[in-house]
Structure formats: C-alpha cells, structure tokens
Amino acid sequence: MAKAPVLTPQADDFPRWYQDLINKAELADNGPVRGTMVIRPYGYGLWERMQQEMDARIKKAGAQNAYFPMFIPQSYLTKEAEHVEGFAPELAVVTHGGGKELDEPVVVRPTSETIINEYFSKWVQSHRDLPLLINQWANVVRWELRPRVFLRTTEFLWQEGHTAHATYEDARAYASMIHTAVYGDFMTNVLGIDVVLGRKTAKERFAGAINTLTLEAMMGDGKALQMGTSHELGQNFAKAFNTTYQLQGAEREYVWQTSWGVSTRMVGGLIMSHGDDNGLRVPPRLAAVQAVVLAIKGDDAVLAKVREIGAQLEAAGIRVVVDDKTDTPFGRRAVDWELKGVPLRIEVGPRDLENGTAMLARRIPGGKEPVSIDGLAALLPGILEEDQELLLRQSRERRISRTVEVKNLDEAVEAAATGWGRISWAELGPAGEAKLAEQGVSVRCIVAADGSVPLTDDQEGNIAIVARAY
C-alpha cells in the first residue's frame, strides 16, 4: 500500500497544500478570534530575517524608525474623505473602555496616515524640517471577511513608511526609490522572488493617494500576489491636517507626501512562490538556518563530530543548527527539516566518520551526495549562492512561461485561469477592467511597453497585467 504524502500535493489542491505546509512546518496557527493568527517561532524567525534585511535598506534610504499609537481618534479618519471611505468596511472601532462609554470612539489603526499627519503638522514648520522621513514597525487591524493565514488576516505585522517633502518631484522620486531600490531589491535579491514593478489603476489605488506603485509576484498556482506598495499621497493629507512649511518669506506651502509598506503577507508569498510537495524552500540569503548538521546515530564519536562541524560552519559565517536529538528517529527529523525548507542538511553517521565524509542534502534543487567533511566550510557558501540564484531563476521562468499576450476580455479571462495575461491598457481601459472584475479577474498593474514603470496611466503603449489574485 502506497505511503500517504506528508502534504496534500499542489496539483490536487493548492490551497489545502498551503494550509498543510503552514501547519506541518510549524509556521503559524489560527488565533482564537476569527481571522487572527499565532506566528510560531520558526515562522516568526522568517519574519525577523525579513525585518532585518528591510530595516537596513529603509535606514539606508534615510528614514528613521519611530512609533505611533495604535488607537486613533475616529475624527482623524474623517478628515480625509476618500481615505475613510476606502477603509470604512475594514475598521475595528472601540466604543467602551475602563467600564464606560468613550466620549469619542477610537479606531484600531488600519494604517497610520491620519495619526502621523497630526504630528507631522506639529513637527514641520520650515523648509529646513524637510524632508521628514519616518518608518514604523507595528501591527495593524483590518476586519478581514475572507481570512487566510499570512495572506489576509484581521491583525498582521508590517512596516509603514511616511514622508513629507517640499516638492512634488522630491516626493515622487522618493516613492519610486522605495519601490525599486528598497522593495524591488529585497524581494528579488533576498526573497528570490521575481516581481513585476508597475503602477496601480485608479480603481486599485490606495485610498487617498494620487498614485500607487506595486510589486506583483506570480505564485506557484499562477495567481498573483501583491507583495508591497509605495504611494504618492500628493497634498491630500497635508491639506486635511494643515501640514505646511514656511518658504523663504512669510508664505506657507503644503507638503507633498508618500507612504509605503510591506507586511507578513511576504511570508505567504515566500511559501507559495518557492514551496513544493515536500515543503517549504527558504532562500539561503533569507534563511535563519542555512544549514543543519544531523547526527544519524547517538554514539559519542558522531555526536562530537556534528558539534565540531557546526562550530566550523558557524565560524565560516554560515547560520547553522546542530541536530543531535537522536532520541527522535533520524527519518522523522530529516523530514521535519525538509518541511521547514532549510537549504542544506549535513548528515553524519558512523560509516561517514570512517570515510571522512558527510552526506550533503540540498533542499532547493534536491538530491544528495557525499562530500569531504574537511572541505565543508569552504564548499557550502558557493552552494548556498547557487541555490539562491536557482530559486530566482525558477520564479522568473514560471512567470514568463505562464504569461501570455491577449487581445480581448475573453482571452484575458482564459489566460487568468492558469497564469497572467498582458493586454493593451488603451484597449482595456476602466470599462474593461470593471467587466473583468465581474469574473474575478483584476488588473494587477500597468507597465510600460518596455516593462518599466510608466509615468502616467495613459502613457502611450501601456500594458495591463491581468490575473486572479490572492
């Protein structure tokens, strides 16, 4: 009788495979309140590594970290009409506290443009205070009707950047720089995920923004996932909160603003982009554990050797864990590490010691081969880089192979059944976009004819990328 697979095969039921993997790789659990999640240590370790890599890039871009309250007076949200309208269905509102009704209800932050602008209006007085570049790492709450762990949850973790600039040109350039040099670089070169950079249509734009830049990735089932966004807010919030600066004379001018964010949704994107029927595959540059050294049996010589190898690899700059828990069967431990997607396993048993070798298992391309124990520290960094490049190449090849040119709505819907479609935005337009939406297909972004980010929605030659999305 055939042995039952550890995970539901992707080809049989991709959503079930996703949920199986989250559970069996010990990434997260559902929280006690519908739509919330408990992120388990291994899953949180992935998020911590994302935070570290992103935080370094954000600081290099000149932004400083700060923190703002999670409770926002309801009156703040009503100051920017388009913003409150966009978020109204998702708001969680507190009406009672301390055993009595509050004088004014407070909103649990869905995003922080309003409360941050309240303080920007105090902090910005003259042109010398600009640009003001702030980022915060926080949680937000959006009452999600169709929750899915990591992808759409009522509460999630993220970073949100907020900036104020003296000119439209400066704000636009900064939003673009975050889009490409911070987010695009991180997702491509650390997550190993091929992303398409484009601009959202007016329908898909962030509430209160004049332009939204997006990064879209194709998941293993051909659907799209919005991995992050960077918004040009224009002067909408500045006018609502009277955020102005003094020019050289007495004249005052409204600031120009941006906001931008990525969230724990990236963990879901990582799973669905790189995972296979054996579990997760973690990019080596991201992995909190790049290599695990496993003792096959618990005799003293083997245990001493795996600990020695672990120390050597750590000294070589590799993030390593020694698994010497031989009271658990070796096969089960190997499957657990495979599920977790650790890039490399170094397996050592008594026979390996006799030969001076270890068995090297590579999670990303698959396969095993014996290697010299003495050469491991020199060998592994190059292998980790090879496997990092392989993940990006596979992600890019999937997107290219499953993206087709289409000419009309019917072809667009057909393309979205298995991947993405590319259609002239001039031909599709807002009317065609609305018709696609009726069939569950959205315009993920608009790109220029050469694949770059267009300066305007109606730039000649613009292409709409259409897909079903998470």
Side-chain angles (χ1 to χ4, degrees):
M1 195 172 174
K3 187 178 179 181
V6 176
L7 303 173
T8 300
Q10 290 185 352
D12 291 354
D13 189 335
F14 195 85
R16 179 65 180 271
W17 165 84
Y18 177 78
Q19 195 59 51
D20 281 354
L21 179 50
I22 286 173
N23 291 336
K24 293 185 179 181
E26 299 179 338
L27 299 176
D29 270 325
N30 291 315
V33 174
R34 184 180 180 277
T36 62
M37 63 176 169
V38 175
I39 306 176
R40 299 185 67 175
Y42 191 73
Y44 198 82
L46 295 174
W47 175 241
E48 282 184 313
R49 287 285 302 144
M50 291 179 183
Q51 281 185 300
Q52 292 164 15
E53 291 281 349
M54 285 293 305
D55 198 58
R57 287 166 171 76
I58 289 168
K59 286 172 178 168
K60 187 175 180 181
Q64 295 179 298
N65 285 339
Y67 187 80
F68 293 81
M70 70 181 295
F71 293 124
I72 302 173
Q74 193 172 50
S75 58
Y76 284 18
L77 269 77
T78 62
K79 289 185 179 181
E80 214 291 324
E82 185 180 349
H83 187 69
V84 69
E85 182 181 355
F87 278 99
E90 300 175 317
L91 296 181
V93 183
V94 179
T95 58
H96 288 72
K100 59 183 180 180
E101 187 172 353
L102 301 178
D103 293 334
E104 178 185 355
V106 296
V107 173
V108 183
R109 66 170 163 240
T111 181
S112 297
E113 279 76 10
T114 56
I115 192 166
I116 287 177
N117 268 278
E118 177 74 12
Y119 287 87
F120 273 18
S121 67
K122 298 178 181 180
W123 298 345
V124 175
Q125 296 301 321
S126 82
H127 66 279
R128 289 183 293 273
D129 298 321
L130 299 173
L132 180 56
L133 313 174
I134 294 294
N135 177 66
Q136 78 164 342
W137 292 94
N139 62 339
V140 290
V141 170
R142 298 178 186 176
W143 214 257
E144 186 57 54
L145 298 178
R146 294 178 295 278
R148 186 171 296 181
V149 173
F150 288 123
L151 300 178
R152 291 185 177 276
T153 49
T154 297
E155 179 191 10
F156 55 89
L157 306 178
W158 77 346
Q159 62 74 210
E160 51 177 319
H162 299 268
T163 70
H165 304 260
T167 67
Y168 164 74
E169 291 77 14
D170 283 352
R172 183 174 200 168
Y174 197 83
S176 177
M177 185 269 292
I178 292 292
H179 186 218
T180 56
V182 175
Y183 291 166
D185 175 74
F186 167 71
M187 291 173 193
T188 301
N189 294 316
V190 178
L191 296 187
I193 297 176
D194 176 67
V195 286
V196 171
L197 280 67
R199 59 188 287 140
K200 288 290 191 184
T201 64
K203 177 181 179 294
E204 295 288 335
R205 196 177 292 155
F206 178 73
I210 62 171
N211 182 33
T212 290
L213 302 171
T214 184
L215 302 99
E216 303 286 331
M218 181 184 284
M219 301 294 98
D221 61 351
K223 289 184 179 180
L225 183 71
Q226 177 182 292
M227 296 285 287
T229 48
S230 180
H231 314 290
E232 297 174 45
L233 301 180
Q235 295 179 312
N236 290 343
F237 288 91
K239 290 176 179 177
F241 287 84
N242 196 33
T243 309
T244 64
Y245 68 97
Q246 188 169 3
L247 298 171
Q248 298 292 351
E251 184 182 356
R252 299 191 71 82
E253 177 64 52
Y254 289 108
V255 299
W256 296 84
Q257 292 183 268
T258 78
S259 67
W260 27 277
V262 295
S263 74
T264 38
R265 168 178 282 206
M266 291 192 296
V267 179
L270 181 79
I271 296 166
M272 294 195 298
S273 184
H274 297 321
D276 62 19
D277 285 347
N278 295 318
L280 188 58
R281 295 189 303 165
V282 182
R285 292 180 193 164
L286 176 76
V289 180
Q290 294 173 312
V292 58
V293 188
L294 286 90
I296 294 175
K297 291 190 176 180
D299 66 52
D300 291 344
V302 169
L303 294 176
K305 180 55 72 172
V306 296
R307 291 162 187 160
E308 178 186 323
I309 292 171
Q312 290 172 348
L313 296 183
E314 186 175 14
I318 295 170
R319 296 187 288 276
V320 62
V321 164
V322 173
D323 183 346
D324 54 7
K325 298 176 182 177
T326 53
D327 53 338
T328 300
F330 167 75
R332 178 174 174 179
R333 289 182 289 133
V335 168
D336 285 346
W337 289 114
E338 187 167 59
L339 278 167
K340 288 180 164 64
V342 171
L344 302 176
R345 295 198 313 273
I346 298 101
E347 302 170 355
V348 182
R351 190 174 302 172
D352 298 299
L353 288 189
E354 293 175 9
N355 298 327
T357 61
M359 189 63 70
L360 175 63
R362 294 172 66 173
R363 177 67 184 91
I364 291 165
K368 287 186 176 186
E369 61 178 330
V371 295
S372 165
I373 289 176
D374 292 340
L376 277 171
L379 177 68
L380 298 193
I383 288 177
L384 289 169
E385 280 303 298
E386 284 179 18
D387 291 354
Q388 177 79 32
E389 292 169 6
L390 176 60
L391 283 177
L392 178 60
R393 187 163 65 250
Q394 289 176 341
S395 176
R396 182 164 294 142
E397 288 171 352
R398 177 176 60 239
R399 176 184 63 82
I400 293 172
S401 68
R402 298 177 72 171
T403 301
V404 298
E405 303 290 334
V406 299
K407 296 179 180 178
N408 54 51
L409 290 177
D410 289 341
E411 290 182 2
V413 173
E414 184 179 353
T418 56
W420 295 3
R422 286 169 44 91
I423 186 171
S424 164
W425 174 242
E427 293 293 326
L428 183 67
E433 181 181 19
K435 290 180 180 178
L436 284 179
E438 292 172 1
Q439 301 188 62
V441 178
S442 59
V443 176
R444 303 313 306 156
C445 64
I446 299 172
V447 298
D450 63 359
S452 63
V453 181
L455 296 176
T456 63
D457 287 356
D458 56 2
Q459 183 174 305
E460 185 176 354
N462 277 355
I463 302 294
I465 306 295
V466 302
R468 297 187 184 278
Y470 285 98

